[in-house]
Amino acid sequence: MWGRWLNDLIYRRTKGQKVYFSIFAIYFSINLQILYHKRNYMSKELSTRAANYSEWYNELVEKADLAQHSAVKGCMVIKPYGYAIWEKMQQALDKMFKDTGHVNAYFPLFVPKSLFEAEETNAEGFAKECAVVTHYRLKSDPNNKGKLIVDPDAKLTEELIVRPTSEAIIWSTYKGWIQSYRDLPILINQWANVVRWEMRTRLFLRTAEFLWQEGHTAHETKAEAIAETEKMLHVYADFAENWMAMPVLKGIKTANERFAGADETYCIEALMQDGKALQAGTSHFLGQNFAKAFDVKFANKEGKQEYVWATSWGVSTRLMGALIMSHSDDKGLVLPPKLAPFQVVIVPIYKGEEQLAQISEVVFRMKKAMEAKGISVKYDDRDNQRPGWKFAEYELKGVPVRIAIGGRDLENGTVELARRDTMEKETLQQAGIEDKVAQLLEQIQDNLYQKALALREAKTTTVDTYEEFKSVLEGKTGFVLAHWDGTSETEKKIKEETKATIRCIPLNNKQETGTCIYSGKPSTQRVVFAKAY
RNA sequence: CGGGGCGUAGCGUAGUUGGUUAUCGCGCCUGGUUUGGGACCAGGAGGUCGCAAGUUCGAGUCUUGCCGCCCCGACCA
């Protein structure tokens, strides 16, 4: 016993002397970390955007009940409130697709490897991030009761790739559908999930599995396919601006950033509050690449065989990330009315059951009037939370308009109306509230767009020298308009040195003579650079 | 894959050189009082301390191995 005590003592002293300083250092760093955690997680406040933008984003996504990390690394659980927003997006987009002549269909999750590799550029582009199915059965582990192992006898003769995108499986199918020009165009969209094995993921912005829609169309002529590609780009831009209240630049990608297997990639690019760009949607002109890879030909009017022209276009749950980062503030989410799961929340403030009943009567009347105008309303009469708690909760969740009604209001025939975007409050008459709210929702939708647009404009800089270029990227951030010599080499060098990429060459870009900021070679137009998500 | 950090109740955490029945707050349940910006009182439930082995009379604490997660890079059609 004494020996052990002595041993312990010696051990301690030795250890203590050796690592004294590092323990000291670790002690302080741990303390700092604990303080940091306490501030962010014990309090009901979010981190601020200014203090740590990415921390703010992560906390917001989880605290506003949009999504959470799952048991599967890199994959998220989209929670009901977050999914409700996605459903709103889906509904709006789905209608826009159908209004432009498209129909929905569904193709398999798995792609046989031989089909996947048929279009070489596309296959190579995605190869390093594919999940692969090699077996079709498990069995009990003979050496470990209650556990399972992959049955080595159940190896697939051909591996199945979990789709990272569906061109291969779809074009192998289209081959059987197309014989004549009369079978064209094919205008199909599918709502699906895809898997891309990303090294590093972030909720909504980059997850290993994500939800999206992918349109895949087949056309007789090159011109028609390009028109389709451009049409869908405009649909995306329309959706981003009019539903998400998020201004976007429309443009084309440089060869470096082009979709693997496309002849041209069109995109919409948005700017987030932290000055980083986010690719919000892409529309690809695929030329005849997939038609040739899968041998999809049609007889034209002259009876001659020709390869089909193709497009594909998609937006994903990444739009959720774009939506969050476009409008939200340090109090939480801010949703544009057109995509809010409910646009108005009504909170009663009451003393006793009897008064609640009186208030509820007024509320039901207002709710009905608002719903008749197509406004979605939630009445939160739960008694287990007090009004102040509810106010904070719905601010965190970004509900555009809040109506509070209490005893005072019953006497005066009024309500308190609060808007989420500006946090302004006003007292209004109950009569005709539905018109006022309808008008206010439109104002909020418009205000969010204008605010985002003003921010983008403030964060767009025209530069003429590389020094200026670098200093803007480091300090002010945002979109940087600069001359570029048109070569991939220059683009790569700039990326290596500054981490900025060419987000797009805007459609209908102004032509002007200048010199490349990097190489000094002549240039005919400015392109849009930024650091991107 | 490299660097850093972390696994203790649903969440956030304390736990001193290894020592009795593992701490606190939030949340949860019951009852009551409340309700105009995140209420209060009283009582209560909830734990394989990430997993496995080892050292020891004794392990949340020490050792080894493994697993997982987060952050920063690299990567990202």
Side-chain angles (χ1 to χ4, degrees):
Chain A
M1 199 183 188
W2 288 108
R4 191 159 51 245
W5 177 80
L6 194 62
N7 265 341
D8 280 357
L9 190 66
I10 292 163
Y11 173 69
R12 266 202 325 279
R13 285 175 66 187
T14 312
K15 185 183 175 186
Q17 283 162 0
K18 274 185 181 167
V19 295
Y20 182 79
F21 286 106
S22 66
I23 284 175
F24 204 69
I26 289 165
Y27 174 79
F28 277 105
S29 87
I30 286 172
N31 263 8
L32 284 172
Q33 185 141 16
I34 287 167
L35 282 172
Y36 178 73
H37 270 267
K38 277 184 176 165
R39 189 171 57 75
N40 291 324
Y41 293 101
M42 288 187 69
S43 77
K44 288 166 181 171
E45 304 288 321
L46 285 168
S47 286
T48 61
R49 290 163 293 173
N52 188 339
Y53 194 83
S54 109
E55 198 65 42
W56 166 83
Y57 175 84
N58 288 333
E59 285 179 29
L60 178 49
V61 169
E62 298 217 2
K63 289 189 177 179
D65 267 339
L66 301 176
Q68 65 178 64
H69 292 283
S70 72
V72 188
K73 184 174 181 167
C75 296
M76 65 178 164
V77 172
I78 305 176
K79 297 177 78 177
Y81 192 65
Y83 200 79
I85 298 170
W86 175 240
E87 283 180 316
K88 289 264 175 184
M89 290 186 174
Q90 282 184 300
Q91 282 162 17
L93 284 165
D94 200 67
K95 181 168 189 308
M96 292 168 111
F97 298 155
K98 285 172 179 160
D99 287 349
T100 45
H102 303 84
V103 291
N104 286 334
Y106 188 79
F107 295 85
L109 171 67
F110 303 116
V111 187
K113 188 164 83 65
S114 57
L115 288 183
F116 185 75
E117 67 200 4
E119 209 296 318
E120 278 180 45
T121 314
N122 184 252
E124 271 171 32
F126 285 103
K128 58 187 182 298
E129 52 191 39
C130 285
V132 183
V133 180
T134 55
H135 293 75
Y136 58 86
R137 192 164 63 213
L138 299 169
K139 66 174 190 178
S140 302
D141 184 348
N143 303 317
N144 203 348
K145 204 160 183 269
K147 303 287 181 188
L148 296 171
I149 55 167
V150 173
D151 187 343
D153 295 334
K155 194 171 182 343
L156 291 166
T157 50
E158 180 178 2
E159 294 88 347
L160 296 174
I161 316 300
V162 179
R163 63 180 169 214
T165 181
S166 299
E167 276 79 3
I169 191 76
I170 286 178
W171 278 87
S172 73
T173 308
Y174 282 180
K175 179 178 166 55
W177 292 358
I178 299 167
Q179 281 90 42
S180 143
Y181 73 93
R182 295 178 199 278
D183 297 322
L184 297 171
I186 292 179
L187 303 172
I188 284 180
N189 173 65
Q190 84 164 342
W191 289 96
N193 57 341
V194 288
V195 169
R196 295 179 188 178
W197 213 263
E198 302 286 354
M199 286 176 181
R200 195 167 154 217
T201 57
R202 296 194 64 191
L203 294 171
F204 289 120
L205 294 173
R206 177 168 288 109
T207 47
E209 179 195 14
F210 56 92
L211 306 184
W212 77 346
Q213 59 69 217
E214 46 182 328
H216 294 272
T217 68
H219 306 266
E220 260 185 272
T221 65
K222 180 177 181 179
E224 190 185 306
I226 290 175
E228 165 77 7
T229 313
E230 290 177 354
K231 180 198 279 178
M232 297 322 287
L233 184 78
H234 291 121
V235 164
Y236 287 154
D238 180 9
F239 175 76
E241 299 191 334
N242 293 314
W243 289 78
M244 297 175 68
M246 180 176 78
V248 290
L249 292 180
K250 291 178 273 195
I252 59 168
K253 289 291 189 190
T254 60
N256 280 351
E257 303 278 324
R258 194 177 290 152
F259 177 76
D263 281 359
E264 199 77 89
T265 288
Y266 293 67
C267 63
I268 51 170
E269 290 284 326
L271 193 67
M272 303 295 101
Q273 291 182 58
D274 63 344
K276 283 171 83 174
L278 186 91
Q279 177 177 297
T282 47
S283 184
H284 314 292
F285 169 59
L286 302 174
Q288 293 175 311
N289 301 333
F290 284 89
K292 285 176 180 166
F294 291 93
D295 192 36
V296 186
K297 290 183 203 165
F298 69 99
N300 67 15
K301 285 171 190 164
E302 287 79 43
K304 277 167 60 182
Q305 292 287 307
E306 281 185 50
Y307 285 112
V308 176
W309 297 87
T311 84
S312 70
W313 28 273
V315 295
S316 71
T317 36
R318 188 177 225 213
L319 288 180
M320 293 286 293
L323 185 72
I324 295 159
M325 288 196 292
S326 291
H327 309 302
S328 302
D329 61 25
D330 294 344
K331 284 185 178 300
L333 197 59
V334 177
L335 291 173
K338 284 187 181 178
L339 293 175
F342 43 94
Q343 297 166 312
V344 177
V345 63
I346 303 177
V347 177
I349 302 161
Y350 57 92
K351 297 186 205 312
E353 293 280 320
E354 199 181 321
Q355 193 178 47
L356 176 61
Q358 289 172 351
I359 289 171
S360 293
E361 204 187 306
V362 176
V363 168
F364 287 134
R365 206 184 311 137
M366 289 193 300
K367 188 168 184 274
K368 215 172 152 187
M370 284 189 272
E371 283 167 350
K373 290 202 167 285
I375 300 166
S376 53
V377 183
K378 174 176 171 155
Y379 177 39
D380 186 353
D381 63 348
R382 287 179 298 172
D383 192 34
N384 56 346
Q385 300 297 355
R386 298 164 85 253
W389 188 94
K390 292 178 187 174
F391 293 172
E393 176 72 5
Y394 293 114
E395 278 158 15
L396 181 61
K397 291 195 157 188
V399 180
V401 172
R402 181 186 73 231
I403 292 174
I405 172 165
R408 237 163 36 208
D409 296 300
L410 281 185
E411 287 171 23
N412 303 331
T414 57
V415 293
E416 182 193 79
L417 194 70
R419 55 189 281 187
R420 177 63 182 87
D421 60 337
T422 61
M423 301 293 284
E424 288 165 351
K425 291 193 268 196
E426 57 181 326
T427 300
L428 293 168
Q429 290 301 309
Q430 289 162 14
I433 192 73
E434 65 276 12
D435 294 319
K436 178 70 194 176
V437 169
Q439 199 188 342
L440 182 58
L441 289 171
E442 275 177 37
Q443 274 174 33
I444 293 172
Q445 182 81 29
D446 185 56
N447 178 49
L448 289 178
Y449 178 80
Q450 294 303 337
K451 235 165 101 177
L453 183 63
L455 182 90
R456 186 186 79 183
E457 279 170 3
K459 279 193 182 281
T460 299
T461 315
T462 301
V463 305
D464 289 313
T465 69
Y466 194 47
E467 287 310 308
E468 223 183 323
F469 179 82
K470 286 189 286 193
S471 96
V472 169
L473 284 172
E474 285 314 306
K476 185 180 169 188
T477 71
F479 286 138
V480 186
L481 311 182
H483 279 284
W484 165 61
D485 64 17
T487 67
S488 289
E489 294 71 51
T490 297
E491 190 182 2
K492 280 177 190 157
K493 286 268 170 52
I494 291 175
K495 185 181 179 184
E496 275 166 30
E497 291 175 21
T498 67
K499 288 180 182 166
T501 50
I502 298 176
R503 302 318 303 155
C504 71
I505 302 163
L507 295 186
N508 307 318
N509 204 20
K510 193 174 92 184
Q511 299 297 301
E512 61 174 58
T513 54
T515 55
C516 175
I517 51 160
Y518 192 83
S519 67
K521 288 180 188 159
S523 152
T524 56
Q525 60 181 345
R526 291 176 188 276
V527 297
V528 181
F529 285 90
K531 288 187 191 171
Y533 275 98

